Amino acid sequence: MQNTFPSLTMTKKEYVQRMHRMFAHYGFSECPLPLHRLSFLYDNNVTEVAAYRIGCDVAAGYTFMSSLRENR
């Protein structure tokens, strides 16, 4: 996994698509984060790696906000 911040050339749509592909690649049948959460992460320059960790936490039952605090 690449540890990069969303670049100025990566659109929000591309970020969301990349996150969906990443979750699928690692075995998720669907993305554990809804679009508004992925948009929030993009808008706050959260790396793809951190976003993936947050999604894993949410899938395991942790709240989005608690996971966000732990993974920034």
Side-chain angles (χ1 to χ4, degrees), residues 12 16 20 33-40:
K12 189 180 294 188
V16 169
H20 279 246
L33 298 172
L35 180 58
H36 72 279
R37 294 295 192 203
L38 289 171
S39 294
F40 175 86

Side-chain angles (χ1 to χ4, degrees), residues 15 33 37-46 51 64 68:
Y15 180 84
L33 298 172
R37 294 295 192 203
L38 289 171
S39 294
F40 175 86
L41 296 174
Y42 174 85
D43 292 340
N44 287 279
N45 296 317
V46 175
F64 177 78
L68 182 63

Side-chain angles (χ1 to χ4, degrees), residues 13-63:
K13 181 179 177 181
E14 291 169 329
Y15 180 84
V16 169
Q17 289 173 338
R18 287 174 67 148
M19 292 311 307
H20 279 246
R21 280 195 303 271
M22 184 182 293
F23 282 109
H25 176 79
Y26 289 104
F28 285 85
S29 58
E30 61 183 61
C31 183
L33 298 172
L35 180 58
H36 72 279
R37 294 295 192 203
L38 289 171
S39 294
F40 175 86
L41 296 174
Y42 174 85
D43 292 340
N44 287 279
N45 296 317
V46 175
T47 67
E48 293 170 63
V49 171
Y52 179 77
R53 288 192 308 251
I54 291 167
C56 289
D57 288 350
V58 169
Y62 292 93
T63 67

